[in-house]
Amino acid sequence: MNIVLSRDSQVRVMEDTVTNAEKYFGQFCSLLAAYTRKTARLRDKADQLVKQLIDFANTENPEMRAALRNFAEDLAKVQDYRQAEVERLETKVVNPLKLYGAQTKQTRAEIKKFKHVRNNEIKQLEKLEKLRQKSPSDRQTISQAETSVQRASVDASRTSHQLEETVDAFQKQKLKDLQKIFSDFVTIEMVFHAKAVEVYSSAFQTLESYDLERDLEDFRAKMRGVYRRYDARPLTDTTPSQTVPCTVPSQTAWSTIPSQRKEAASEEDSAEEDPVEDLRAQGQGLHQ
């Protein structure tokens, strides 16, 4: 009976391990899926801002028009990097977390199988004890019951060993996956923000170098009816086309920005077969 109690304690540890993984990995998946969808919506709003900037630039004087054009191009480039961030978060963070639903279900099935075998062992032990109390002189029946107990015990021991190996492998893989998933998450975010800071620095310099006085001089001249010879060609809208907002991951996959996105994203995609491996290398460079 002591062996049975030991197996009860063992199976409780196994069940707690699987229950915690199911609970917290599910929460991680939901939160990171929402995080990715919010990032995609931010990308879409920034695309709208780029379009409005270009529309407004077409109504302004040449210096402001040129400054806003360059600023809008930089802002659009950041959204190309944000699009890559969304795709990589989905592939390297959210999708691996989704897999744990099936893995925990399979491990629970193994635990359920072991509990059935263990219950049979307990049943046979209880049957033997009753026979010993009611018919202590019936050696044949008691001997048969002892044989049944022995078989049930061997079966429980074998199943327990198999389950222990299964749960051990589950726990090892869970810890490795947790480390990799969040390492990928941090690397993806680090690289996006590093690239974004670089582009935003360029955008800041563009705005700082804007010649306000020249535009004011041109504006005042126009009010007096004197027109300078500026190239007044309207700007073309280089804004990436809008995408449908991301949906709940359990229902449909995230929408992605069409192939019209500019060179910043396409250069990254062509430079790496496995995005996160490249991200890791770039992310490490941030600490040097």
Side-chain angles (χ1 to χ4, degrees):
M1 187 61 72
N2 288 336
I3 295 177
V4 174
L5 294 176
S6 175
R7 287 173 184 158
D8 281 344
S9 176
Q10 183 183 36
V11 80
R12 278 196 297 272
V13 172
M14 294 176 179
E15 284 183 313
D16 288 344
T17 298
V18 175
T19 298
N20 287 336
E22 186 175 40
K23 174 183 175 181
Y24 289 104
F25 274 65
Q27 291 176 349
F28 291 149
C29 184
S30 295
L31 288 171
L32 287 166
Y35 181 97
T36 304
R37 293 197 302 275
K38 291 287 186 181
T39 303
R41 292 190 186 110
L42 178 60
R43 169 207 63 200
D44 293 342
K45 291 300 181 183
D47 284 342
Q48 293 176 18
L49 176 58
V50 169
K51 183 179 184 301
Q52 290 299 313
L53 283 168
I54 292 174
D55 288 346
F56 176 68
N58 287 332
T59 69
E60 282 297 312
N61 295 317
E63 290 295 319
M64 177 57 76
R65 184 184 307 172
L68 286 180
R69 177 193 64 192
N70 293 332
F71 175 68
E73 287 177 351
D74 283 338
L75 190 58
K77 186 181 294 184
V78 172
Q79 306 325 306
D80 294 332
Y81 291 135
R82 187 168 272 124
Q83 169 63 15
E85 176 195 15
V86 168
E87 292 174 351
R88 290 165 186 171
L89 284 172
E90 181 184 356
T91 300
K92 296 295 182 180
V93 177
V94 178
N95 286 345
L97 287 169
K98 288 181 182 179
L99 297 177
Y100 268 83
Q103 291 181 17
T104 54
K105 184 177 180 180
Q106 182 179 356
T107 307
R108 279 194 182 281
E110 293 295 323
I111 293 175
K112 185 177 180 180
K113 177 182 176 182
F114 167 72
K115 290 172 75 172
H116 176 74
V117 173
R118 183 204 57 184
N119 289 339
N120 181 57
E121 180 186 22
I122 294 172
K123 181 180 178 181
Q124 295 301 327
L125 280 169
E126 291 174 345
K127 182 178 179 181
L128 176 61
E129 288 300 318
K130 287 180 181 179
L131 283 173
R132 284 174 175 171
Q133 292 175 6
K134 290 183 178 181
S135 307
S137 60
D138 190 351
R139 298 305 307 164
Q140 182 177 358
T141 304
I142 290 175
S143 178
Q144 291 175 351
E146 288 175 343
T147 301
S148 296
V149 167
Q150 186 177 9
R151 283 199 299 264
S153 180
V154 170
D155 193 19
S157 178
R158 175 177 54 80
T159 306
S160 175
H161 181 70
Q162 292 174 348
L163 180 60
E164 185 177 346
E165 290 181 345
T166 298
V167 176
D168 184 80
F170 173 85
Q171 176 71 355
K172 181 179 179 180
Q173 189 63 45
K174 182 194 78 175
L175 297 176
K176 287 174 63 178
D177 287 344
L178 196 63
Q179 180 188 32
K180 184 177 188 306
I181 287 168
F182 282 102
S183 293
D184 287 345
F185 172 77
V186 171
T187 304
I188 291 166
E189 291 297 293
M190 269 198 310
V191 172
F192 165 73
H193 287 290
K195 289 181 178 295
V197 166
E198 181 180 350
V199 178
Y200 281 136
S201 297
S202 172
F204 180 81
Q205 292 301 321
T206 294
L207 295 174
E208 282 290 292
S209 62
Y210 163 62
D211 190 345
L212 181 146
E213 291 300 327
R214 189 175 179 185
D215 265 352
L216 280 177
E217 182 183 346
D218 180 67
F219 176 72
R220 289 162 183 165
K222 286 180 179 178
M223 284 198 301
R224 299 188 198 103
V226 180
Y227 291 88
R228 294 175 178 271
R229 295 176 58 85
Y230 277 118
D231 180 5
R233 289 177 299 173
L235 299 177
T236 57
D237 186 354
T238 59
T239 312
S241 58
Q242 298 298 308
T243 60
V244 178
C246 300
T247 55
V248 177
S250 61
Q251 297 174 345
T252 59
W254 281 284
S255 60
T256 57
I257 283 193
S259 60
Q260 289 90 341
R261 284 203 168 268
K262 302 192 305 186
E263 295 177 359
S266 61
E267 287 175 1
E268 281 198 2
D269 293 338
S270 63
E272 55 180 346
E273 289 296 325
D274 183 353
V276 170
E277 292 305 319
D278 181 63
L279 287 172
R280 288 185 185 283
Q282 298 178 61
Q284 291 170 1
L286 297 176
H287 300 285
Q288 296 176 354

